[in-house]
Amino acid sequence: MRRRAALAGLLLLTGCASGPSLETQGEVTESPGDSKQLTIGSAGFTESDLLATMYALLLNRAGYKTSMLTVANRELYEPALESGQIDVVAEYAATFADWLNAKTNGADAPAVGSPDLKATMAGLRKLATPRGLTVLDPGGAVDQNAFAVTGAFARQHDLKTLSDLGRSGLEVRLAAGDECVQRPYCEPGLRKTYGIDITGVDPKGVGTTQAKRAVQNGQDQMVLTTTTDATLDEFGLVLLADDKDLQNADYIVPVVNRSRAGSEGVTGALDRLNDVLTTADLASMNEQVDSWRRLPEDVARTYLEDKGLLK
């Protein structure tokens, strides 16, 4: 990895653009580009830093020079990806599809992301292509919403899945974000899809320490978190499987600027990670950074070396 740029550098370049103009959106006329100097974007949180670092290391090995740019706001980094100020970024299929859909068709447009990965990818690519973006294939790693209970609670009631919890008839107070009461993947979906008796939502946030402690101490019975949460063990929590696919297909996908990084060289380098990376791998790497205080660069390099992707 060559260097990490600052957000200020991005803001200075907002007048430059190499993506499709408004007049040509909907057409893809340029051949896939193969710039040998690429900027990898990170959204500034642990998992995004890890993915960006692994992308950079793999691209370096494939003969590209890379720099990293951290832009925590999708409202900023997605236009930068279109314009070529950022060339590669790790995204989440369903979330990115819905974000582009709202940007293209308005906030009230029917959702594109769904639990169906194939349909989600088709919708995402249809939205991304006119913007000069290429969405590469997903691997096996997915970071989606998930629900956890204490290990003791799960053992006491023989719970392994959300269906098990629904069949148990237990009353459940849920620690989550305040938007949970309206979101279809959260309280309404848990009631409708699984028949879980949600007695209330405790607005402590998604996967926050406060929310996990509320479940740990019995104030709440379940917490909304994510499948790559690195700290569940610290609170004695275990995930219940989403066995009826309530959650959207937020598989990790590399997204590239087609005119600068749409080549087979870039695709081949990034596909090597998709071939091996799993959800459990990501959770483990997140834990090493967040709990063990290892540097993302060290964790990413060690992982790639262990998988035989770096020498």
Side-chain angles (χ1 to χ4, degrees), residues 106-148:
D108 295 330
V112 172
S114 76
D116 185 327
L117 177 60
K118 184 176 180 180
T120 296
M121 287 297 296
L124 172 55
R125 284 171 167 153
K126 184 177 180 180
L127 290 161
T129 298
R131 296 182 174 276
L133 306 180
T134 297
V135 182
L136 306 187
D137 290 339
V142 57
D143 185 354
Q144 60 192 171
N145 294 306
F147 296 91

Side-chain angles (χ1 to χ4, degrees), residues 3 25-26 30 48 51 81 105 114 170 174 206 250 305:
R3 61 184 174 85
Q25 279 192 359
E30 293 183 77
S48 187
L51 289 164
L81 186 62
N105 300 311
S114 76
L170 293 165
L174 176 63
V206 179
D250 261 330
E305 289 173 346

Side-chain angles (χ1 to χ4, degrees), residues 154-177:
R155 290 189 295 273
Q156 178 183 356
H157 300 289
D158 194 22
L159 306 176
K160 295 181 179 179
T161 68
L162 290 171
S163 288
D164 291 339
L165 182 56
R167 284 191 292 267
S168 73
L170 293 165
E171 293 184 344
V172 174
R173 181 173 164 85
L174 176 63

Side-chain angles (χ1 to χ4, degrees), residues 63-236:
Y64 297 87
K65 293 182 179 180
T66 62
S67 60
M68 284 180 59
L69 181 65
T70 298
V71 187
N73 189 318
R74 187 179 275 117
E75 283 75 10
L76 286 176
Y77 76 66
E78 189 279 329
L81 186 62
E82 288 188 32
S83 70
Q85 296 167 55
I86 292 174
D87 301 305
V88 183
V89 71
E91 263 293 357
Y92 301 88
T95 296
F96 195 45
D98 285 337
W99 193 88
L100 286 180
N101 187 38
K103 182 176 179 178
T104 303
N105 300 311
D108 295 330
V112 172
S114 76
D116 185 327
L117 177 60
K118 184 176 180 180
T120 296
M121 287 297 296
L124 172 55
R125 284 171 167 153
K126 184 177 180 180
L127 290 161
T129 298
R131 296 182 174 276
L133 306 180
T134 297
V135 182
L136 306 187
D137 290 339
V142 57
D143 185 354
Q144 60 192 171
N145 294 306
F147 296 91
V149 298
T150 65
F153 186 80
R155 290 189 295 273
Q156 178 183 356
H157 300 289
D158 194 22
L159 306 176
K160 295 181 179 179
T161 68
L162 290 171
S163 288
D164 291 339
L165 182 56
R167 284 191 292 267
S168 73
L170 293 165
E171 293 184 344
V172 174
R173 181 173 164 85
L174 176 63
D178 54 10
E179 72 280 1
C180 177
V181 297
Q182 297 178 330
R183 295 288 173 85
Y185 66 80
C186 205
E187 180 183 357
L190 291 172
R191 291 180 180 277
K192 181 178 179 180
T193 302
Y194 289 107
I196 297 173
D197 184 6
I198 305 294
T199 60
V201 172
D202 189 1
K204 286 184 164 57
V206 179
T208 63
T209 296
Q210 185 183 21
K212 292 172 193 172
R213 283 180 178 159
V215 176
Q216 183 183 39
N217 65 28
Q219 177 182 342
D220 300 327
Q221 287 71 52
M222 188 162 69
V223 59
L224 170 62
T225 182
T226 66
T227 52
T228 60
D229 190 322
T231 63
L232 292 178
D233 288 347
E234 296 177 21
F235 298 91

Side-chain angles (χ1 to χ4, degrees), residues 208-275:
T208 63
T209 296
Q210 185 183 21
K212 292 172 193 172
R213 283 180 178 159
V215 176
Q216 183 183 39
N217 65 28
Q219 177 182 342
D220 300 327
Q221 287 71 52
M222 188 162 69
V223 59
L224 170 62
T225 182
T226 66
T227 52
T228 60
D229 190 322
T231 63
L232 292 178
D233 288 347
E234 296 177 21
F235 298 91
L237 303 178
V238 296
L239 294 179
L240 296 181
D242 179 22
D243 53 308
K244 293 184 179 180
D245 294 327
L246 173 63
Q247 302 305 320
N248 283 347
D250 261 330
Y251 284 75
I252 293 162
V253 290
V255 183
V256 304
N257 177 289
R258 174 185 169 86
S259 66
R260 288 184 48 81
S263 68
E264 291 182 2
V266 171
T267 299
L270 299 182
D271 278 349
R272 299 181 74 218
L273 179 61
N274 276 349
D275 289 342

